[in-house]
Every structure is written in C-alpha cells, then in structure tokens.
Amino acid sequence: MKKYFAVSVLAASIFAVTGCQEEKAETTAAAQVALETAEQQQAYAIGASVSRYIATTLEQQKELGLELDNALVLKGMEDGLGGEVSMSEEEIQSTLKALDEKLAGLVQAKAEADAAAAKAESEKFLADNAAREGVTVTESGLQFEVLSDAEGDKPSAADTVTVHYKGTLTDGTPFDSSYDRGEPATFPLNRVIPGWTEGVQLMSKGAKYKFFIPSELGYGESGAGSIPPNSVLVFEVELIDIEKADAPAEETPAS
C-alpha cells in the first residue's frame, strides 16, 4: 500500500507538469531526445512507462475526490534529488501513512456507495421483471421464464447435470457462456450458486429456461470477477443430461 501510493503520487506530479504542455511541445520534445545508447533508451523507457501509469492514477484519484498540489509534489521531488528535503524521514513516513489511510477510506466509501446503488437498481429490476407475463417467482425470490419445456425426470441437488448456458448482467453484458467455449458444462448441482441449484431442479432434460437470479442467490455483496456486487444474474440454461447420484448402499442386517 505505502509503496503503491507513494509511487502514484510521484507519477501524478510528473503527469501534472508534463500534461500542461500542448501536443506540439510533446512532439518537439520527443524529437529532441537522444536515444542512441542503451542507457539513454533505458532512462527514456522509465519515464515513458511511468507517464502511462500516471494518466490512470490521476483519473482514479479525481474520481475519489483527492487532489494534491502538484507544484508541491514536484518541489518535493526536486528537493529529494538535490538532497535538501524540508521534512524529516519520520515526518515523510507518517505523512505517507496518513495518505494511505485517507485513500483507503475513500476507496471503501466509493465501494459502499456503488454497492448500495447496484442493490437499489437490482431491486427495481426484479420488481419490474416479476410483473412481466410468463415470469414465475419462487419462494426464495428466484425468477424464471420457460423458453421451451420438456417432460420427464428432474434432477435433484445431489445429481450431476450437463448444460449449455449463457450468463449476462441485466444490461446484457456477458460474463460467461458455454456456447462461446463450444462445449457444454458438467457439474454436481449442489456445488454451484444457490440460484442454479434451485433453478435447474425445476427443469426436465431437454428444457430451456431463463433464470433471473437475485444477488442473494448469486454472488451477493462481494461479487465475483467481472460481476459487480449486488448484481442480478440472467442465465439462459438448456438442460442436456442428468446423471443421477449413486443411491446409498443398503445396510446388511447384522447376523
């Protein structure tokens, strides 16, 4: 944390100074740089690499509401290189620690605000979707729509199923698809998210359903990978096969 934020502040200051120049100035400067030796190329590569990192860092800091005095940051850099720093090492470390804590607090506050907004949006989506014709809501809150039905046995939670599926967020953003991978998925039904475990048990082999899974039956407040916290998951699922769990062996009566 400490090194990351110290570097981010340093990068931000460099970007703030160089970013004030026009594109013409940047082009001219690039043309004037001598990159003939390995050492010159290495030095220039360090600056170029840092500058690319800077743009992202500055944008993130602004989104969090943190703005530093870039002139003072640059002055600190110059003093550090010149060996005449106006703060003691102890003061520098305690200041950077306070900065780390401030940034961590801002990040946490933004995450909580984003999660609350996502929860409200998800609740509205589910309420609107539940009112659509053809959508059924179970006791747990799972919503489903029958795209094509079938007759026959349904799996239990202990069974292994083979399915084709496509998963998206409510805005249509895809996050997983067995169709894209070109082969169905096979897994024990009791080892997936609760919305899947419950929903697929409603299906017979050959059926295709569309599930709308509340976050409580999905990945909840933590999210997963590209799935944000408190997200409703939309899955189109085609049940291809059911492998029944082995029945428990009958006990042999004691002789």
Side-chain angles (χ1 to χ4, degrees), residues 79-99:
D79 289 352
L81 289 171
E84 297 182 358
V85 180
S86 299
M87 297 173 67
S88 68
E89 183 63 24
E90 184 178 77
E91 290 172 331
I92 290 173
Q93 294 303 320
S94 64
T95 300
L96 290 177
K97 181 180 179 181
L99 175 59

Side-chain angles (χ1 to χ4, degrees), residues 49 59 85 128 207:
S49 178
E59 184 176 349
V85 180
D128 292 343

Side-chain angles (χ1 to χ4, degrees), residues 11-23 25-26 47 51 54 74:
S13 67
I14 299 173
F15 182 79
V17 174
T18 59
C20 294
Q21 301 176 0
E22 299 292 336
E23 291 184 5
E26 292 175 352
S51 68
I54 291 165
L74 181 58

Side-chain angles (χ1 to χ4, degrees), residues 57-141:
T57 300
L58 266 185
E59 184 176 349
Q60 291 173 342
Q61 290 180 345
K62 287 182 179 179
E63 288 177 356
L64 293 173
L66 177 65
E67 293 191 35
L68 300 175
D69 187 330
N70 294 302
L72 283 176
V73 179
L74 181 58
K75 175 61 176 172
M77 292 168 54
E78 293 174 343
D79 289 352
L81 289 171
E84 297 182 358
V85 180
S86 299
M87 297 173 67
S88 68
E89 183 63 24
E90 184 178 77
E91 290 172 331
I92 290 173
Q93 294 303 320
S94 64
T95 300
L96 290 177
K97 181 180 179 181
L99 175 59
D100 288 351
E101 293 172 352
K102 181 177 182 178
L103 284 168
L106 291 171
V107 168
Q108 180 65 25
K110 185 177 187 303
E112 291 175 355
D114 289 347
K119 185 175 181 62
E121 183 177 340
S122 293
E123 289 174 349
K124 183 180 185 307
F125 173 87
L126 290 170
D128 292 343
N129 194 61
R132 287 197 307 112
E133 184 177 355
V135 173
T136 301
V137 184
T138 71
E139 186 176 348
S140 70

